[in-house]
Amino acid sequence: MTRHPKTSGPRLIGMVGMACLSLATAGCAHFWDEALSNERDWSYATGWGKPDPLKVLSKGNDGVRRAQALGDLKEPLRNGGNAQDQDAILNILATAAKDDREPICRLAAIRNLGKFQDPRAARALEEVYQQPKLPFTADNNSLIRKEALVGLENTHDPESRHLLIRVARQPGPVTEANLTDRQQTQDEKLVAIRALGKYHEPECVEALKYVMKTEKDVALRNVALRSLEDSTNRRWPEKRDAWQNAEVQPLPGTAGDSFIQRAAWWVPKW
């Protein structure tokens, strides 16, 4: 019978500790993805000694590594950098988001732009969404457009509300549209409707009311109702029939009412 060499107690404890620390630092899923890869690199698995992302982007051709580097870029002005650094990083991310040959790299850049507070990041995301044609598969093209809207939702840029309103108010797909196109339209509308809940401008509220009045899809109306309540801090009718009136009044007894108004709502009316 083959006997395996014993591992000493201190060494075993050290190995377990290193593994736990690695998982805590890099994340469980990322650690195992890297550790089980045929081209594993322990600096990426553990987070220790990872190459500078700018060097990776300037020299590397590996799409996965470039995507990781694009995701690792930080917003300079929020991390001790200067305006020149800010311009350079934004240009790198915006260019990758719009023109990179690898969809995984475009997605990494788009998701990172959604973390930036610089208004130019929002403008870049708007350009990504409005590109007339993307060169990838239908699924990847749809995902890129959707993630650009999610990025705009995360930036909460004031000017982005205009594009979000247009997406939320767009008509549903024609009956003859295939399942992929129908799902893409619904996904984009859902993100835009959800994002409008973070705005309090009257035009955003009106757009959400329009969705409640005209949208036949129950899931989209449910999201619109939650966004409308978040935007106005008031309760609104849940049933679609109530929204077919020309003027829709919010239900009483809401957070926006005074104490006397809320109390009066609960007094029985005989």
Side-chain angles (χ1 to χ4, degrees):
M1 181 174 65
T2 303
R3 293 182 179 273
H4 297 284
K6 293 184 178 179
T7 302
S8 64
R11 183 183 178 191
L12 179 60
I13 292 173
M15 291 171 62
V16 173
M18 288 286 287
C20 292
L21 185 58
S22 297
L23 291 174
T25 304
C28 184
H30 175 74
F31 174 83
W32 287 114
D33 285 345
E34 191 66 47
L36 298 176
S37 169
N38 292 330
E39 300 178 0
R40 70 180 62 86
D41 185 329
W42 291 106
S43 66
Y44 281 91
T46 63
W48 299 329
K50 285 177 63 176
D52 181 86
L54 290 176
K55 291 183 179 179
V56 175
L57 293 170
S58 64
K59 298 180 179 179
N61 292 317
D62 186 304
V64 172
R65 293 297 184 224
R66 290 174 51 246
Q68 290 170 322
L70 288 166
D72 287 339
L73 293 174
K74 306 297 182 184
E75 185 168 11
L77 289 181
R78 295 168 59 194
N79 292 276
N82 56 38
Q84 186 176 0
D85 296 334
Q86 184 86 352
D87 293 344
I89 297 301
L90 276 171
N91 183 61
I92 290 171
L93 289 174
T95 300
K98 291 182 285 187
D99 300 322
D100 200 280
R101 64 183 182 274
E102 298 281 354
I104 189 175
C105 293
R106 291 203 191 195
L107 287 170
I110 288 168
R111 288 166 179 165
N112 203 355
L113 284 170
K115 302 175 185 177
F116 277 50
Q117 294 181 352
D118 193 309
R120 289 175 292 178
R123 303 290 81 76
L125 291 170
E126 290 173 4
E127 291 178 20
V128 170
Y129 177 78
Q130 296 178 103
Q131 283 181 299
K133 188 174 182 180
L134 294 171
F136 309 113
T137 65
D139 287 342
N140 282 334
N141 292 343
S142 176
L143 182 58
I144 287 171
R145 288 170 57 87
K146 176 185 173 183
E147 287 299 320
L149 291 176
V150 172
L152 290 175
E153 177 185 13
N154 292 335
T155 63
H156 191 198
D157 178 78
E159 294 304 312
S160 296
R161 71 183 188 275
H162 302 298
L163 174 60
L164 294 171
I165 287 172
R166 292 202 301 272
V167 177
R169 292 176 64 104
Q170 69 177 316
V174 297
T175 307
E176 295 78 14
N178 60 44
L179 182 60
T180 300
D181 290 341
R182 295 177 66 86
Q183 189 62 52
Q184 177 179 336
T185 301
Q186 176 151 341
D187 288 345
E188 292 177 8
K189 285 170 65 73
L190 188 148
V191 174
I193 292 167
R194 185 180 64 201
L196 289 177
K198 297 182 179 180
Y199 296 87
H200 305 288
E201 285 77 6
E203 62 264 38
C204 298
V205 174
E206 290 304 314
L208 292 170
K209 288 182 180 180
Y210 175 83
V211 173
M212 291 299 298
K213 289 181 180 181
T214 62
E215 182 58 57
K216 297 180 180 180
D217 186 273
V218 175
L220 293 180
R221 287 206 311 274
N222 287 340
V223 175
L225 180 62
R226 289 196 297 271
S227 290
L228 191 57
E229 291 176 342
D230 290 340
S231 179
T232 62
N233 198 30
R234 299 178 71 87
R235 275 176 50 226
W236 294 84
E238 296 182 9
K239 294 184 178 180
R240 185 169 184 266
D241 292 345
W243 286 89
Q244 304 314 308
N245 299 325
E247 295 293 334
V248 179
Q249 298 297 325
L251 294 176
T254 64
D257 292 333
S258 68
F259 172 78
I260 299 299
Q261 289 173 310
R262 293 198 301 272
W265 167 248
W266 292 106
V267 174
K269 299 176 177 58
W270 290 289

